[in-house]
Amino acid sequence: MNEHDELIARVAETLKEPVRIDPRLDARVMAEIEAGRTAVPPTRRVLDWLTQARTIRLSPLGGLAIAAGVIVLLWTGTQLRAPSPAAEPSLAAAATLTTTVQFVLIAPDAQSVSVVGDFNDWDVSATMLREDQAPGVWAVTVPLSPGRYRYSFLVDGTTWLTDPLAAQAVADEFGRPNSVVTIGES
């Protein structure tokens, strides 16, 4: 037996010895696996986040600014293109009337959010929401003609969510639930 063979034999004997692992490692690994099974769905996390008690400190000037913003939003909402009772639009004019709809999703951990639906041919990049109102609050306004539209939110390009504030539709052909928005008398 030469010198290399002896070295290989010693290495082989060393490798045959059982490896001692910290017994707590198995418990930690199993706890992580179990935690993954009981992960809270994103919609539940959003609901928990929304209902969590918080302390808000607001200066009088900040409160005044928020109140002014709410008044502007309410006034703008009443100024939508609604036909006056005195003027009855023709069928052609009624078909071209649009209503601006605001889609909002609270997703504090999201990097990107889009709304996809019947109104944009389910194009995931056509209608991106912006996080400009507050951190974690994603919003976009879309002009829609009268009709009934199915839609969903796509968070970070992978997670489909229904709108927690809208009516639910029957699941689509891919098994995903959708939300519904109805404009006009459809």
Side-chain angles (χ1 to χ4, degrees):
M1 207 183 223
N2 68 22
E3 188 176 305
H4 291 345
D5 292 338
E6 287 179 24
L7 178 62
I8 291 173
R10 279 187 293 167
V11 168
E13 285 302 316
T14 303
L15 291 175
K16 289 180 184 177
E17 293 176 12
V19 177
R20 296 215 164 103
I21 298 175
D22 182 4
R24 295 174 295 180
L25 176 66
D26 187 44
R28 288 194 315 258
V29 169
M30 294 309 291
E32 286 294 324
I33 291 171
E34 190 61 34
R37 286 188 193 145
T38 60
V40 179
T43 52
R44 182 63 192 178
R45 284 190 307 216
V46 169
L47 183 61
D48 289 346
W49 183 83
L50 286 172
T51 58
Q52 183 180 23
R54 290 181 176 68
T55 301
I56 298 175
R57 293 184 180 165
L58 189 62
S59 70
L61 186 58
L64 196 58
I66 291 174
V70 168
I71 290 170
V72 167
L73 286 174
L74 291 174
W75 180 80
T76 308
T78 61
Q79 300 300 313
L80 293 176
R81 296 181 200 146
S84 66
E88 291 188 27
S90 67
L91 290 178
T96 61
L97 290 178
T98 60
T99 300
T100 303
V101 177
Q102 184 175 37
F103 295 94
V104 177
L105 180 68
I106 298 174
D109 298 329
Q111 299 300 312
S112 67
V113 178
S114 62
V115 61
V116 292
D118 296 331
F119 51 85
N120 64 7
D121 292 324
W122 297 89
D123 183 349
V124 298
S125 61
T127 312
M128 301 299 294
L129 281 73
R130 290 190 310 223
E131 186 182 28
D132 58 0
Q133 295 178 356
V137 178
W138 297 82
V140 68
T141 54
V142 178
L144 295 177
S145 299
R148 184 176 186 268
Y149 302 95
R150 293 180 303 150
Y151 69 96
S152 289
F153 293 107
L154 181 60
V155 177
D156 296 333
T158 59
T159 306
W160 292 88
L161 297 176
T162 58
D163 188 342
L165 303 174
Q168 301 296 304
V170 177
D172 63 16
E173 53 271 11
F174 302 106
R176 284 189 304 256
N178 293 303
S179 301
V180 175
V181 61
T182 303
I183 308 300
E185 297 182 69
S186 294

